[in-house]
Amino acid sequence: PSSKNLLITPRGKVPINATKYSNFVSNVRFDYSPSEKDLFISIRDRLVEDMERRRKGEFYTPLEFVNLAHDMASESFGDNWKDSVVWDCCCGTKNLTRDYKFKELYCSTLEQGELDSSSRYNREAVSFKFDFLDGDRTELVQKAPGLVAALRENKPIIFFINPPYGTAGNGVGKEHKTGINKRTERTDEEFESLFNFKCENIYGQFLQRIMFYKRTYHLSNVKIVLYSPALFITGPKWKRFRNEFFKDFKFVKGAQFNAGEFADVSAKWSIVITLWESGEEKGGIFDVPNYTHGNNFKLESLSTTKLYSIDNDKMVKASDWVKKYTKQKFNYDAPSFSSGILQKNKSSSCGI
């Protein structure tokens, strides 16, 4: 898009005549079969500009982990959970729901192109363009009146989502993510008045908006099936978030897998699928099976990880424990270097 006279290929950039190329494309027609169209849609995430996808933290969910979440929901919420009101409020091309049938499904996303390319899927659903974080609720009434009625009537509702993971705090240079987590002034006021804090991560903002709907409409039966990093459970910086989230939702079930399962994503971190339901979470320790591909490429759980929310006063971080027992006990003078061969004039005191 930024260099219309260049064709980007795996072997490098190829100069082209943009006018002649446009004439060629406009005069040649390809009739793709339904199965071929399905293939394009299934790999859409890899066709979209990689830079933009990474900037926002948007990733295509592999089918086997979609099926895993559905199985977990059936085990936890019952086989008839799809008879409830289900809302995928960041549906993309509907890969979380496309292979399943629902009684009352709502699919919304920011990009109209995603809805257009996935129009063949979940035709029973009400699909509409909507900004879940900043969208006006009057717009929601116009586009999904049945959903608003369900909220007002306090019907059981399940949020089935894989929201973006991006935050403005990472990225460098022109790829920096500054701005992707900014909300409108109205949204900031809503979140501030209800939670008295701001959340940097976009997936945290999605959970904030779910809490906002739950409290605004006085919903008593809300469930969440969520794909996300595990930091909102374990990270110290998420303590204020957990103080609010654990008032509204209690942990039901979880699973963990390597983020490298997503296309072109680093394998140095993990993604968790967590299920939550209305209630208050008082535990803070969650057993989460770890899944990986076994024989015949089927998912297998070989171990279990304990995720700790370190907010309880009885829990001590390892760094705090080390400081407590070593402070002022083991100190020694050591030279300080400004480089590999230059020593500073002043020595420094180092603690073990």
Side-chain angles (χ1 to χ4, degrees):
S2 58
S3 303
K4 298 187 182 300
N5 290 312
L6 286 177
L7 178 66
I8 310 301
T9 76
R11 296 184 179 182
K13 298 179 180 180
V14 179
I16 63 171
N17 185 310
T19 302
K20 291 182 178 180
Y21 178 77
S22 178
N23 290 336
F24 169 75
V25 172
S26 62
N27 285 283
V28 177
R29 178 179 177 82
F30 295 96
D31 292 321
Y32 295 105
S33 66
S35 60
E36 289 173 326
K37 292 179 181 179
D38 288 346
L39 178 61
F40 279 126
I41 295 172
S42 68
I43 63 172
R44 181 187 185 278
D45 185 64
R46 300 188 185 187
L47 298 176
V48 173
E49 277 193 279
D50 185 66
M51 184 74 71
E52 182 68 10
R53 176 172 62 82
R54 287 183 174 279
R55 193 179 77 87
K56 295 181 180 179
E58 297 174 350
F59 302 105
Y60 178 86
T61 316
L63 179 60
E64 55 268 48
F65 292 104
V66 172
N67 295 335
L68 175 61
H70 279 264
D71 292 341
M72 292 169 60
S74 295
E75 293 172 5
S76 302
F77 303 145
D79 292 332
N80 63 340
W81 69 272
K82 296 183 184 68
D83 292 338
S84 302
V85 176
V86 178
W87 186 5
D88 184 351
C89 51
C90 45
C91 67
T93 53
K94 304 177 185 174
N95 67 306
L96 293 184
T97 58
R98 64 173 62 169
D99 294 323
Y100 296 87
K101 295 294 182 182
F102 297 82
K103 183 177 180 180
E104 190 171 354
L105 174 65
Y106 297 89
C107 297
S108 62
T109 185
L110 267 176
E111 305 294 338
Q112 183 62 43
E114 292 178 331
L115 296 177
D116 294 340
S117 63
S118 61
S119 59
R120 298 177 58 250
Y121 300 115
N122 295 120
R123 292 184 175 178
E124 78 280 8
V126 176
S127 303
F128 57 102
K129 180 181 176 182
F130 181 66
D131 187 338
F132 183 72
L133 296 179
D134 284 329
D136 196 317
R137 276 177 287 167
T138 57
E139 179 186 358
L140 189 62
V141 173
Q142 296 171 355
K143 294 184 174 181
L147 176 59
V148 175
L151 294 172
R152 290 173 175 169
E153 294 170 14
N154 193 21
K155 289 184 177 181
I157 182 169
I158 299 175
F159 290 90
F160 199 111
I161 57 173
N162 181 16
Y165 307 153
T167 180
N170 46 22
V172 294
K174 66 179 182 180
E175 300 150 23
H176 202 283
K177 299 182 179 183
T178 300
I180 64 170
N181 65 339
K182 290 183 178 178
R183 306 271 64 87
T184 64
E185 184 177 347
R186 176 182 56 81
T187 299
D188 281 342
E189 290 177 354
E190 289 178 341
F191 285 176
E192 283 282 351
S193 63
L194 200 59
F195 308 115
N196 195 31
F197 69 92
K198 292 183 180 180
C199 190
E200 291 293 322
N201 300 71
I202 296 180
Y203 73 91
Q205 294 177 0
F206 269 80
L207 294 176
Q208 276 186 305
R209 179 58 74 188
I210 291 175
M211 286 189 283
F212 180 86
Y213 278 123
K214 183 177 184 294
R215 297 181 183 185
T216 302
Y217 287 98
H218 306 289
L219 304 177
S220 59
N221 192 352
V222 180
K223 297 179 175 66
I224 302 174
V225 180
L226 171 72
Y227 294 78
S228 74
L231 274 177
F232 82 104
I233 296 175
T234 61
K237 293 182 179 180
W238 289 79
K239 181 175 181 179
R240 295 178 67 185
F241 173 88
R242 285 189 293 269
N243 287 341
E244 295 296 327
F245 186 71
F246 285 176
K247 291 177 184 177
D248 285 347
F249 293 99
K250 61 181 179 181
F251 180 79
V252 177
K253 194 179 186 69
Q256 184 172 231
F257 60 94
N258 194 296
E261 298 287 354
F262 283 2
D264 302 321
V265 178
S266 171
K268 296 181 180 179
W269 55 292
S270 66
I271 293 173
V272 293
I273 304 172
T274 50
L275 277 61
W276 306 84
E277 64 182 5
S278 294
E280 185 176 358
E281 177 57 52
K282 298 180 179 180
I285 304 176
F286 312 110
D287 291 324
V288 178
N290 300 301
Y291 281 86
T292 186
H293 283 100
N295 296 328
N296 300 320
F297 299 101
K298 292 184 178 180
L299 293 182
E300 294 181 358
S301 176
L302 303 178
S303 61
T304 299
T305 296
K306 286 187 180 294
L307 299 180
Y308 294 83
S309 64
I310 53 177
D311 306 329
N312 194 312
D313 292 337
K314 296 180 181 179
M315 296 183 182
V316 180
K317 291 185 293 183
S319 59
D320 293 338
W321 178 84
V322 170
K323 291 176 182 178
K324 177 180 178 181
Y325 289 98
T326 62
K327 188 175 182 180
Q328 302 299 328
K329 289 187 177 181
F330 303 98
N331 290 316
Y332 64 94
D333 291 331
S336 178
F337 291 88
S338 59
S339 70
I341 59 174
L342 294 179
Q343 179 182 348
K344 291 182 178 180
N345 294 327
K346 295 182 179 180
S347 63
S348 61
S349 178
C350 298
I352 297 178

Short mmCIF file of all heavy atoms in Angstrom, two decimals, residues 264-286:
data_model
loop_
_atom_site.label_atom_id
_atom_site.label_comp_id
_atom_site.label_asym_id
_atom_site.label_seq_id
_atom_site.Cartn_x
_atom_site.Cartn_y
_atom_site.Cartn_z
N ASP A 264 3.89 -17.27 13.23
CA ASP A 264 4.97 -16.29 13.29
C ASP A 264 5.03 -15.54 14.61
O ASP A 264 5.33 -14.35 14.66
CB ASP A 264 4.84 -15.28 12.14
CG ASP A 264 4.85 -15.95 10.79
OD1 ASP A 264 5.63 -16.90 10.62
OD2 ASP A 264 4.08 -15.52 9.91
N VAL A 265 4.73 -16.23 15.71
CA VAL A 265 4.75 -15.62 17.03
C VAL A 265 5.87 -16.26 17.85
O VAL A 265 6.13 -17.46 17.75
CB VAL A 265 3.39 -15.79 17.75
CG1 VAL A 265 3.44 -15.19 19.15
CG2 VAL A 265 2.29 -15.15 16.94
N SER A 266 6.54 -15.46 18.67
CA SER A 266 7.62 -15.96 19.51
C SER A 266 7.13 -17.07 20.43
O SER A 266 6.03 -17.00 20.99
CB SER A 266 8.21 -14.82 20.33
OG SER A 266 9.12 -15.32 21.29
N ALA A 267 7.98 -18.08 20.62
CA ALA A 267 7.63 -19.20 21.49
C ALA A 267 8.13 -18.99 22.92
O ALA A 267 8.18 -19.93 23.70
CB ALA A 267 8.21 -20.49 20.92
N LYS A 268 8.49 -17.75 23.26
CA LYS A 268 9.06 -17.48 24.58
C LYS A 268 8.02 -17.11 25.62
O LYS A 268 8.36 -16.78 26.75
CB LYS A 268 10.09 -16.35 24.46
CG LYS A 268 11.30 -16.72 23.59
CD LYS A 268 12.29 -15.58 23.52
CE LYS A 268 13.50 -15.95 22.67
NZ LYS A 268 14.49 -14.84 22.57
N TRP A 269 6.75 -17.12 25.27
CA TRP A 269 5.71 -16.81 26.23
C TRP A 269 4.53 -17.74 25.99
O TRP A 269 4.53 -18.54 25.05
CB TRP A 269 5.29 -15.34 26.16
CG TRP A 269 4.86 -14.85 24.80
CD1 TRP A 269 5.65 -14.69 23.70
CD2 TRP A 269 3.54 -14.47 24.40
NE1 TRP A 269 4.90 -14.23 22.64
CE2 TRP A 269 3.61 -14.07 23.05
CE3 TRP A 269 2.31 -14.39 25.06
CZ2 TRP A 269 2.49 -13.63 22.34
CZ3 TRP A 269 1.21 -13.94 24.36
CH2 TRP A 269 1.31 -13.57 23.03
N SER A 270 3.55 -17.67 26.84
CA SER A 270 2.42 -18.61 26.76
C SER A 270 1.10 -17.87 26.63
O SER A 270 1.00 -16.68 26.93
CB SER A 270 2.37 -19.51 27.99
OG SER A 270 2.08 -18.73 29.15
N ILE A 271 0.12 -18.61 26.16
CA ILE A 271 -1.26 -18.12 26.08
C ILE A 271 -2.12 -19.05 26.92
O ILE A 271 -1.93 -20.27 26.91
CB ILE A 271 -1.74 -18.09 24.62
CG1 ILE A 271 -0.95 -17.04 23.83
CG2 ILE A 271 -3.23 -17.78 24.54
CD1 ILE A 271 -1.25 -17.05 22.34
N VAL A 272 -3.06 -18.48 27.64
CA VAL A 272 -3.97 -19.30 28.43
C VAL A 272 -5.40 -19.14 27.91
O VAL A 272 -5.78 -18.07 27.43
CB VAL A 272 -3.93 -18.93 29.94
CG1 VAL A 272 -2.60 -19.30 30.54
CG2 VAL A 272 -4.25 -17.46 30.15
N ILE A 273 -6.13 -20.23 27.98
CA ILE A 273 -7.58 -20.19 27.78
C ILE A 273 -8.18 -20.30 29.17
O ILE A 273 -7.94 -21.28 29.88
CB ILE A 273 -8.07 -21.37 26.91
CG1 ILE A 273 -7.35 -21.39 25.57
CG2 ILE A 273 -9.58 -21.28 26.70
CD1 ILE A 273 -7.65 -22.64 24.74
N THR A 274 -8.90 -19.30 29.59
CA THR A 274 -9.50 -19.32 30.93
C THR A 274 -11.00 -19.13 30.84
O THR A 274 -11.49 -18.35 30.02
CB THR A 274 -8.91 -18.23 31.84
OG1 THR A 274 -8.94 -16.96 31.16
CG2 THR A 274 -7.47 -18.57 32.20
N LEU A 275 -11.72 -19.86 31.67
CA LEU A 275 -13.17 -19.77 31.75
C LEU A 275 -13.56 -19.17 33.09
O LEU A 275 -13.02 -19.57 34.14
CB LEU A 275 -13.81 -21.16 31.60
CG LEU A 275 -14.01 -21.70 30.17
CD1 LEU A 275 -12.68 -21.84 29.43
CD2 LEU A 275 -14.75 -23.03 30.20
N TRP A 276 -14.48 -18.22 33.05
CA TRP A 276 -14.90 -17.49 34.24
C TRP A 276 -16.42 -17.44 34.27
O TRP A 276 -17.09 -17.49 33.24
CB TRP A 276 -14.35 -16.07 34.23
CG TRP A 276 -12.87 -16.00 34.05
CD1 TRP A 276 -12.17 -16.03 32.87
CD2 TRP A 276 -11.88 -15.93 35.09
NE1 TRP A 276 -10.82 -15.97 33.10
CE2 TRP A 276 -10.61 -15.90 34.45
CE3 TRP A 276 -11.95 -15.85 36.47
CZ2 TRP A 276 -9.42 -15.82 35.18
CZ3 TRP A 276 -10.76 -15.77 37.19
CH2 TRP A 276 -9.52 -15.76 36.54
N GLU A 277 -16.98 -17.33 35.47
CA GLU A 277 -18.42 -17.18 35.63
C GLU A 277 -18.70 -16.19 36.74
O GLU A 277 -17.82 -15.87 37.56
CB GLU A 277 -19.10 -18.52 35.92
CG GLU A 277 -18.69 -19.15 37.23
CD GLU A 277 -19.34 -20.50 37.45
OE1 GLU A 277 -20.04 -20.98 36.52
OE2 GLU A 277 -19.17 -21.08 38.54
N SER A 278 -19.93 -15.67 36.77
CA SER A 278 -20.30 -14.68 37.78
C SER A 278 -20.06 -15.23 39.19
O SER A 278 -20.39 -16.37 39.50
CB SER A 278 -21.77 -14.29 37.62
OG SER A 278 -21.98 -13.62 36.40
N GLY A 279 -19.47 -14.42 40.02
CA GLY A 279 -19.16 -14.83 41.38
C GLY A 279 -17.93 -14.09 41.86
O GLY A 279 -17.39 -13.23 41.18
N GLU A 280 -17.46 -14.43 43.05
CA GLU A 280 -16.29 -13.78 43.63
C GLU A 280 -15.16 -14.79 43.76
O GLU A 280 -15.35 -15.88 44.30
CB GLU A 280 -16.62 -13.20 45.00
CG GLU A 280 -15.48 -12.41 45.62
CD GLU A 280 -15.87 -11.76 46.93
OE1 GLU A 280 -17.04 -11.90 47.34
OE2 GLU A 280 -14.99 -11.12 47.56
N GLU A 281 -14.00 -14.43 43.25
CA GLU A 281 -12.83 -15.30 43.32
C GLU A 281 -12.05 -15.01 44.60
O GLU A 281 -11.57 -13.90 44.81
CB GLU A 281 -11.93 -15.09 42.10
CG GLU A 281 -10.65 -15.89 42.10
CD GLU A 281 -10.91 -17.39 42.23
OE1 GLU A 281 -11.71 -17.94 41.45
OE2 GLU A 281 -10.30 -17.99 43.14
N LYS A 282 -11.90 -16.03 45.44
CA LYS A 282 -11.22 -15.84 46.72
C LYS A 282 -9.95 -16.67 46.84
O LYS A 282 -9.23 -16.55 47.81
CB LYS A 282 -12.17 -16.20 47.88
CG LYS A 282 -13.41 -15.32 47.95
CD LYS A 282 -14.30 -15.72 49.12
CE LYS A 282 -15.54 -14.82 49.20
NZ LYS A 282 -16.42 -15.19 50.33
N GLY A 283 -9.70 -17.52 45.84
CA GLY A 283 -8.56 -18.43 45.94
C GLY A 283 -7.25 -17.79 45.56
O GLY A 283 -6.37 -17.56 46.39
N GLY A 284 -7.10 -17.50 44.28
CA GLY A 284 -5.87 -16.88 43.82
C GLY A 284 -4.82 -17.84 43.34
O GLY A 284 -3.74 -17.43 42.91
N ILE A 285 -5.08 -19.15 43.41
CA ILE A 285 -4.17 -20.17 42.88
C ILE A 285 -4.96 -21.03 41.91
O ILE A 285 -5.99 -21.61 42.27
CB ILE A 285 -3.57 -21.05 44.00
CG1 ILE A 285 -2.85 -20.17 45.03
CG2 ILE A 285 -2.62 -22.08 43.41
CD1 ILE A 285 -2.33 -20.96 46.22
N PHE A 286 -4.49 -21.12 40.66
CA PHE A 286 -5.27 -21.79 39.62
C PHE A 286 -4.43 -22.88 38.96
O PHE A 286 -3.31 -22.62 38.49
CB PHE A 286 -5.71 -20.78 38.56
CG PHE A 286 -6.31 -19.52 39.14
CD1 PHE A 286 -5.64 -18.30 39.08
CD2 PHE A 286 -7.54 -19.56 39.77
CE1 PHE A 286 -6.19 -17.16 39.62
CE2 PHE A 286 -8.11 -18.42 40.32
CZ PHE A 286 -7.43 -17.21 40.25
#
